[in-house]
C-alpha cells in the first residue's frame, strides 16, 4: 500500500489531495535526474542519470555522506 493510500485511509480524501498537491509542487518532472535506488532510515542511494544531469545544468554538492 502506498504512503498516499495509507494517509487517505487514516485522514480522508482531503488530506490525500493536499499531499498530492504538495508533492506535485516539490517533484518537478522537468528537473528529474535519477531514481531512488535504495532507501533506509539513515541513508538513501540515488542512481543519477548523466544525460539528465547535463540537461538540468548539473547538481550542486554532488557528493557522498558517510
Amino acid at each position: 500500500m502506498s504512503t498516499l493510500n495509507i494517509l487517505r485511509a487514516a485522514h480522508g480524501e482531503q488530506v490525500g489531495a493536499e499531499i498530492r498537491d504538495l508533492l506535485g509542487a516539490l517533484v518537478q518532472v522537468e528537473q528529474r535526474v535519477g531514481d531512488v535506488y535504495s532507501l533506509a532510515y539513515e541513508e538513501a542511494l540515488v542512481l543519477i542519470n548523466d544525460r539528465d544531469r547535463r540537461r538540468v545544468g548539473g547538481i550542486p554538492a554532488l557528493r557522498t555522506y558517510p
Side-chain angles (χ1 to χ4, degrees):
M1 180 177 261
S2 74
T3 303
L4 182 56
N5 288 337
I6 292 169
L7 290 169
R8 279 183 180 157
H11 302 287
E13 290 294 320
Q14 181 181 2
V15 170
E18 290 173 10
I19 292 169
R20 185 189 64 238
D21 294 343
L22 288 170
L23 288 176
L26 179 64
V27 179
Q28 300 169 3
V29 175
E30 64 274 3
Q31 294 180 349
R32 181 178 173 165
V33 294
D35 294 295
V36 175
Y37 179 74
S38 174
L39 184 62
Y41 185 74
E42 293 185 11
E43 158 180 279
L45 299 176
V46 179
L47 182 63
I48 297 173
N49 185 307
D50 288 338
R51 181 191 67 216
D52 290 338
R53 180 175 31 175
R54 285 190 298 271
R55 180 181 48 79
V56 300
I59 301 172
L62 183 62
R63 57 188 250 201
T64 60
Y65 295 91

